[in-house]
Amino acid sequence: MKKISTMAKRGNEIFKEPKLTIGLDLGDRTSHYCILDEAGNVILEHRLPTTPRGIHQVFCRIPRSRIALETGTHSPWVSRQLTQLGHEVIVAHARNVRLIGESSRKDDQLDARTLARLARIDPGLLGPVRHRSAKAQIHLTVIRARAGLVSARTALVNTARGLTKSYGERLRKCGSGQMNREIAKGLSQELRDALDPLLGEIESLNERIAEYDRRIERIAKEVYPEVTLLKQVKGVGTLIALTYILTLDDPHRFRRSRDTGCFLGLRPGRRNSGMSEPQMHISKEGDGYLRTLMVQGAHYILGPFGEDSDLRRWGLKLAERGGKNAKKRAVVAVARKLAVLLHKLWVSGEVYEPLRNNHKVVSAVA
């Protein structure tokens, strides 16, 4: 790809321009970048390998600039490397940059130019996000790897049960973690022979998942003592607490604890126009895996084994309002309040009181 033909300056003179703004469109193998001067004129467009060495060779020669890129597979490490080189990095939320995603002339070079122009005009238009630290990312990778194995195990268990039913037989009821070759003893011999390798693979996955569980417990105990604060809430185990801490990374990034519900996409969307205020589903922004864990925690809190607490009472009262989706709404609402509660405990370090509001009422009566 050639440089802009109208560019009058060459070589290192380009990088002497004050207040450069750069758009970087990341690709899996190669990335395109566009450099704008202070007046918004394109002074350089080129591409580079999407590797640490390629990023360093290009951007180490450029003075502190504003660089915009979209969220993606490579954006975490690229944004960290550019920040270490002294640049102001803006990671644009891909869902918010519809000018790029829905463009009728989508092209890597044009995308980089659009990112640069948006970053120059107003970075807020990019819906900037903040990537977690390298330490948090590597520990979160352990959790995500476990989640991948759990997903694979679920698929294999469903396959085994479906194949058994299609043969007119059934596997005994058990949890996925208890699925093994022994559970097939009641089946006919030919079916057992057919399913033996499949059940053996499920056994192997159970062992690998157990190894990850022990590793997650060790990481929480040795590196993140604040996990203990979050586990005060019954229904929040080590997996949920550690995932919450690693995903948010820095509790002080939020001005209020209530903002965490929005961050996880657990607030209703809004599309008000004039007198129209339609009821919307939750936005589902943010980290989908953590949102799923929050909902699982809410199910436990509202379930038969949930501990009596202000949160449980509030959720059950909400579910009793009736309507076809009352219980589902209650679960989501409890999940949102749970996210807020965990952040409050994390920041304040307080001892959790399940029936705090009830104690206030009793004190007032006394």
Side-chain angles (χ1 to χ4, degrees):
M1 181 180 297
K2 296 189 296 184
K3 300 178 182 178
I4 300 300
S5 58
T6 58
M7 185 179 65
K9 301 177 182 179
R10 289 291 186 268
N12 294 330
E13 292 183 12
I14 295 173
F15 306 132
K16 294 180 181 178
E17 287 283 344
K19 297 183 180 179
L20 296 175
T21 306
I22 304 173
L24 177 61
D25 185 72
L26 295 174
D28 189 49
R29 299 289 183 181
T30 59
S31 301
H32 291 72
Y33 63 94
C34 172
I35 303 179
L36 303 181
D37 62 16
E38 191 174 8
N41 300 314
V42 178
I43 59 174
L44 177 63
E45 286 182 320
H46 219 286
R47 63 183 178 187
L48 72 160
T50 310
T51 62
R53 182 181 178 183
I55 295 292
H56 184 271
Q57 285 180 339
V58 172
F59 293 101
C60 71
R61 299 183 297 116
I62 302 176
R64 177 177 170 80
S65 306
R66 174 179 291 174
I67 303 178
L69 57 144
E70 279 188 287
T71 53
T73 303
H74 297 283
S75 61
W77 69 264
V78 172
S79 62
R80 286 195 295 267
Q81 183 174 0
L82 291 175
T83 301
Q84 290 171 358
L85 291 174
H87 297 290
E88 176 194 355
V89 182
I90 301 171
V91 183
H93 196 309
R95 289 178 58 179
N96 289 5
V97 193
R98 304 183 70 176
L99 187 62
I100 293 177
E102 299 181 6
S103 173
S104 60
R105 296 182 60 212
K106 185 158 177 58
D107 173 84
D108 293 341
Q109 183 178 354
L110 292 176
D111 291 351
R113 191 181 300 179
T114 302
L115 280 170
R117 295 199 183 283
L118 289 173
R120 176 179 172 273
I121 296 170
D122 182 2
L125 297 173
L126 297 172
V129 301
R130 174 178 169 180
H131 282 306
R132 60 189 60 89
S133 63
K135 184 181 78 169
Q137 185 173 354
I138 194 62
H139 289 153
L140 192 59
T141 298
V142 175
I143 293 176
R144 293 299 178 83
R146 177 193 179 277
L149 292 182
V150 170
S151 179
R153 179 181 66 182
T154 300
L156 292 182
V157 169
N158 290 340
T159 298
R161 292 193 179 280
L163 292 173
T164 305
K165 289 180 182 179
S166 67
Y167 201 72
E169 302 183 40
R170 286 179 182 270
L171 289 169
R172 296 198 310 271
K173 288 185 178 180
C174 69
S176 298
Q178 287 74 48
M179 179 73 75
N180 52 38
R181 290 186 175 93
E182 296 297 320
I183 205 169
K185 280 187 174 180
L187 304 179
S188 59
Q189 186 59 46
E190 60 269 24
L191 188 55
R192 288 177 59 186
D193 293 340
L195 294 179
D196 186 72
L198 180 61
L199 295 176
E201 195 63 35
I202 295 174
E203 283 186 0
S204 177
L205 285 175
N206 284 332
E207 294 173 2
R208 302 290 83 75
I209 292 171
E211 290 177 6
Y212 271 122
D213 287 337
R214 291 189 291 270
R215 188 171 178 181
I216 289 170
E217 290 286 350
R218 186 169 63 253
I219 290 173
K221 183 178 180 180
E222 297 176 357
V223 186
Y224 301 95
E226 55 268 37
V227 166
T228 306
L229 294 172
L230 277 58
K231 288 176 64 177
Q232 294 179 97
V233 183
K234 299 299 181 183
V236 176
T238 302
L239 179 63
I240 294 179
L242 185 58
T243 305
Y244 185 91
I245 289 172
L246 293 176
T247 302
L248 271 62
D249 197 22
D250 178 12
H252 302 292
R253 63 189 294 188
F254 301 101
R255 187 171 59 88
R256 304 174 303 172
S257 294
R258 293 180 61 182
D259 294 338
T260 56
C262 301
F263 175 75
L264 295 179
L266 289 168
R267 64 164 176 79
R270 185 168 59 185
R271 196 181 293 274
N272 299 348
S273 178
M275 300 299 293
S276 175
E277 296 185 10
Q279 189 175 45
M280 305 287 290
H281 295 291
I282 59 174
S283 64
K284 294 187 177 180
E285 296 176 344
D287 190 90
Y289 181 64
L290 179 56
R291 185 168 57 251
T292 299
L293 292 181
M294 288 290 103
V295 171
Q296 290 178 3
H299 273 292
Y300 181 89
I301 291 171
L302 294 176
F305 304 107
E307 181 187 55
D308 186 22
S309 64
D310 293 331
L311 185 57
R312 175 181 168 85
R313 292 181 181 184
W314 179 82
L316 292 176
K317 187 176 180 180
L318 194 62
E320 290 172 358
R321 290 185 180 179
K324 183 172 62 174
N325 297 319
K327 187 174 181 180
K328 292 181 180 179
R329 290 174 182 169
V331 169
V332 174
V334 169
R336 183 168 59 249
K337 275 190 172 289
L338 178 60
V340 175
L341 172 61
L342 295 182
H343 183 267
K344 187 67 176 179
L345 292 174
W346 186 7
V347 172
S348 66
E350 296 178 2
V351 175
Y352 174 59
E353 299 179 48
L355 295 171
R356 182 174 184 176
N357 292 335
N358 188 56
H359 291 161
K360 290 180 180 179
V361 172
V362 172
S363 299
V365 173

